[in-house]
């Protein structure tokens, strides 16, 4: 995600990607050589294995992006706006204990502890493509469960047309929240039928382990047919609403980031093309696919809609 800043430099242009990785590898190597147990990009909370994870049929069998890239090349502005900031500055963040407040247009609102929200028997591995609006992508083996399963427990009423999500607000643990780069707390939203779609998941892990802080511990959304910024991290509030809720990047730059934000190679970002993407680790760019390759499953959600208008 980019904040317009003079003279309009993309973060990816500030540090060349290959230089960036060789620098990280150098740091990692130096940490090991120096006897350090953890390199800066691996915070101490990551690592617990999740039990009973079953592979899921909606997974892609494309080559998976290595753990090191998934956990050190992040967008999580609460920890800073450079890609390496979340790994470097999320060590103080405490993802446990955790609870989520669910409210709004539903019969059974309430505050639920993480342990009661996540049943270890329903954890699945969903290997999904993640396509960021900045035109890079990864393939990530998430561990999670259908968002619909969580939402249905609170019995949304027929007035629930949208679902709004909010990230935790903890400036003492999230240094980026002390700066007004975005309006805090980060918020996102989906239409109710999008939220109930079987591809949309709540993720609690990756590569079979609990989510590292930088990836949105302990609980984050993953909506694989939308640009990455819809996949809000470290969620503490879910609200069923009658009206379309505000979303952080739309507030920040309404001409650039719409509410729907479906991956669409035919609709360019005002400042760059969305037709191609670079898979992290690849040299050559590849074509971006409509709905990030999930068109067969989700295109019907948008039939009759002008996707240029509803970007
Ligand atoms: N959620 C919060 N709370 N804050 C953020 O800055 N960044 C978004 C999204 N969720 C963001 C967030 C963006 S732009 C992307 S691309 C994905 O998280 C990145 O997820 P990853 O770091 O696990 O790859």
């Amino acid at each position: 995600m980019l904040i317009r800043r003079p003279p309009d430099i993309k973060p990816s242009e500030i540090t060349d990607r290959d230089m960036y990785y060789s620098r990280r590898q150098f740091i990692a190597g130096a940490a090991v050589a120096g006897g350090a147990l953890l390199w800066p990009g691996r915070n101490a909370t990551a690592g617990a294995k999740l039990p009973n994870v079953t592979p899921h049929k909606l997974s892609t069998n494309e080559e998976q992006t290595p753990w090191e890239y998934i956990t050190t090349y992040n967008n999580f502005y609460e920890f800073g706006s450079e890609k390496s900031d979340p790994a470097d500055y999320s060590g103080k963040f405490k993802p446990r204990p955790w609870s989520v407040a669910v409210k709004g247009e539903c019969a059974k609102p309430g505050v639920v502890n993480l342990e009661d929200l996540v049943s270890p028997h329903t954890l699945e591995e969903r290997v999904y493509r993640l396509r960021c609006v900045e035109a890079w992508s990864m393939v990530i083996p998430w561990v999670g469960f259908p968002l619909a399963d969580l939402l249905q427990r609170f019995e949304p009423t027929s007035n629930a047309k949208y679902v709004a999500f909010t990230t935790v607000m903890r400036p003492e643990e999230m240094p980026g929240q002390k700066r007004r780069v975005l309006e805090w707390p980060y918020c996102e939203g989906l239409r109710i039928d999008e939220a109930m779609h079987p591809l949309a998941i709540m993720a609690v892990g990756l590569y079979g382990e609990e989510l590292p802080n930088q990836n949105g511990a302990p609980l984050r959304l993953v909506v694989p047919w939308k640009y990455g910024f819809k996949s809000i991290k470290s969620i503490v509030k879910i609200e069923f609403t009658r009206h379309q809720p505000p979303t952080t990047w739309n507030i920040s730059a309404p001409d650039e980031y719409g509410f729907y934000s479906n991956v669409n190679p035919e609709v360019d970002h005002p400042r760059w093309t969305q037709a191609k993407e670079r898979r992290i680790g690849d040299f050559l760019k590849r074509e971006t696919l409509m709905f990030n390759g999930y068109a067969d499953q989700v295109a019907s959600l948008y039939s009759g809609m002008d996707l240029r208008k509803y970007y």
Side-chain angles (χ1 to χ4, degrees):
M1 299 302 295
L2 306 181
I3 291 176
R4 216 181 265 279
R5 56 181 136 183
D8 223 359
I9 314 170
K10 288 192 206 174
S12 52
E13 287 162 1
I14 294 170
T15 314
D16 167 74
R17 196 174 47 86
D18 296 332
M19 232 174 78
Y20 172 86
Y21 285 121
S22 52
R23 184 169 65 93
R24 300 292 318 187
Q25 272 152 16
F26 172 76
I27 295 169
V32 171
L37 287 176
L38 295 167
W39 64 301
R42 290 203 75 162
N43 65 61
T45 52
K49 267 252 167 279
L50 289 162
N52 309 322
V53 179
T54 53
H56 194 272
K57 61 177 188 310
L58 289 171
S59 291
T60 170
N61 49 23
E62 285 161 274
E63 192 184 335
Q64 297 172 16
T65 304
W67 164 278
E68 278 67 27
Y69 291 0
I70 299 175
T71 58
T72 60
Y73 192 81
N74 300 98
N75 277 332
F76 200 170
Y77 276 57
E78 284 83 340
F79 296 110
S81 47
E82 296 302 323
K83 296 285 180 277
S84 53
D85 287 344
D88 288 345
Y89 301 120
S90 63
K92 268 209 234 156
F93 182 71
K94 292 186 203 67
R96 283 172 184 74
W98 194 267
S99 58
V100 180
V102 183
K103 51 200 258 192
E105 305 289 347
C106 60
K108 296 192 169 158
V111 178
V112 187
N113 289 333
L114 183 67
E115 297 70 40
D116 299 324
L117 269 183
V118 183
S119 157
H121 306 295
T122 56
L123 289 182
E124 305 158 344
E125 182 173 77
R126 303 271 194 128
V127 187
Y128 282 165
R129 290 177 287 275
L130 177 115
R131 167 59 159 84
C132 189
V133 76
E134 295 159 283
W136 49 265
S137 63
M138 299 194 193
V139 175
I140 304 184
W142 301 108
V143 178
F145 55 93
L147 174 60
D149 289 0
L150 184 153
L151 297 179
Q152 262 143 6
R153 289 173 49 174
F154 301 91
E155 299 183 11
T157 68
S158 58
N159 289 329
K161 305 285 189 237
Y162 294 87
V163 190
F165 302 86
T166 311
T167 293
V168 71
M169 185 72 194
R170 286 192 198 162
E172 290 318 310
E173 295 175 30
M174 301 174 124
Q177 286 180 334
K178 291 186 174 164
R179 297 189 306 154
R180 297 214 57 192
V181 268
L182 291 175
E183 261 189 41
W184 309 115
Y186 195 100
C187 58
E188 256 307 334
L190 296 172
R191 222 169 52 191
I192 190 87
D193 55 341
E194 298 178 316
M196 293 294 183
H197 192 279
L199 274 174
I201 58 165
M202 277 292 184
V204 294
L206 55 89
Y207 271 111
E209 296 183 9
E210 280 176 1
L211 274 185
N213 287 349
Q214 57 269 38
N215 292 90
L219 183 78
R220 56 94 50 90
L221 191 65
V222 177
V223 195
W225 70 96
K226 292 180 180 279
Y227 291 116
F229 65 89
K230 298 295 285 182
S231 293
I232 180 173
K233 297 172 166 180
S234 306
I235 296 166
V236 285
K237 190 170 82 177
I238 299 176
E239 186 169 2
F240 297 100
T241 64
R242 287 170 188 242
H243 303 290
Q244 185 177 301
T247 60
T248 293
W249 283 100
N250 181 252
I251 295 169
S252 167
D255 301 340
E256 304 189 9
Y257 310 113
F259 177 80
Y260 283 93
S261 292
N262 293 312
V263 174
N264 189 342
E266 288 159 21
V267 177
D268 288 341
H269 184 279
R271 289 182 284 144
W272 60 85
T273 170
Q274 293 291 25
K276 288 187 184 286
E277 68 198 60
R278 190 187 305 282
R279 180 76 40 94
I280 296 292
D282 283 1
F283 179 68
L284 294 175
K285 288 190 178 167
R286 63 178 70 205
E287 307 274 317
T288 286
L289 302 174
M290 190 64 198
F291 296 111
N292 200 22
Y294 299 99
D296 286 352
Q297 289 97 325
V298 300
S300 62
L301 294 176
Y302 309 100
S303 57
M305 277 175 74
D306 177 355
L307 297 178
R308 287 188 179 274
K309 186 168 168 212
Y310 297 102
Y311 57 95

